[in-house]
Amino acid sequence: METRRAGWILGAVLAASQAFGAACFAETAAELNERALRLAKEGRWSDAVAALEEALRASPDDAVVRRNLGRIQANWGVDLLEKGDVLTAEQVTRRAGYILPDDPVVRLNLAACLDERGYPARAAAEVRKALELGPGVPLAHDRMAAVLQREGRFEEAAAAWE
């Protein structure tokens, strides 16, 4: 009887020590967030996104991690657009938009992607939404003026540029 109890206690101690060891080596959401920010500074976008997605699994309600994930994806989209990978830039920027639906700059980035892909009407809709979300964002007014000029609405374009 004593041997069984000792075996059960030993098993419980081993299980607890393994769980403790795993917890010691696992990164917290805050550590993953910091690692992701470092990776993003190095331009290692997909690694940064992966670290933030892991951080969100560890802490699903963390608004800072969620915001950083959206912003890093938005920056990755800009980088891809600058490199000429327009389709992937649009896909990454759309993911950023799902995370940060009220961010006017993400909307403007998506508009740039759509414009580059040859969808000016869709781009114009994104610019209008960006201006609605961020009336104080000068870039939104600049892009809106460009849209209005393209539509032949020159007086409105001039007013937007002012």
Side-chain angles (χ1 to χ4, degrees):
M1 183 86 133
E2 288 298 317
T3 306
R4 271 196 233 160
R5 186 177 304 157
W8 181 83
I9 291 172
L10 181 59
V13 168
L14 283 173
S17 67
Q18 287 172 341
F20 177 75
C24 288
F25 292 110
E27 288 181 282
T28 66
E31 291 167 335
L32 287 163
N33 184 62
E34 289 301 315
R35 179 160 55 100
L37 294 175
R38 286 191 305 276
L39 290 166
K41 281 184 182 179
E42 297 170 7
R44 295 175 55 194
W45 303 112
S46 62
D47 294 335
V49 167
L52 288 168
E53 287 172 344
E54 186 178 340
L56 272 181
R57 283 191 293 277
S59 183
D61 297 327
D62 192 321
V64 171
V65 171
R66 182 170 297 284
R67 184 185 71 238
N68 286 343
L69 177 58
R71 289 195 173 146
I72 284 175
Q73 285 183 324
N75 290 336
W76 186 11
V78 169
D79 187 50
L80 289 165
L81 189 59
E82 288 173 355
K83 291 177 179 173
D85 188 352
V86 182
L87 180 59
T88 308
E90 180 187 344
Q91 293 167 344
V92 169
T93 305
R94 282 191 186 282
R95 285 196 298 268
Y98 294 135
I99 296 168
L100 303 172
D102 297 329
D103 189 314
V105 176
V106 173
R107 294 284 182 154
L108 292 171
N109 292 349
L110 181 57
C113 293
L114 292 167
D115 226 3
E116 285 292 317
R117 291 202 54 222
Y119 298 111
R122 291 181 189 170
E126 290 298 331
V127 170
R128 285 183 171 88
K129 184 65 176 176
L131 190 56
E132 179 185 311
L133 293 169
V137 177
L139 184 58
H141 290 277
D142 181 59
R143 298 268 177 89
M144 189 69 232
V147 166
L148 292 167
Q149 181 184 23
R150 187 177 2 196
E151 293 173 350
R153 298 163 60 187
F154 302 111
E155 288 180 25
E156 292 174 75
W161 268 313
E162 287 178 13

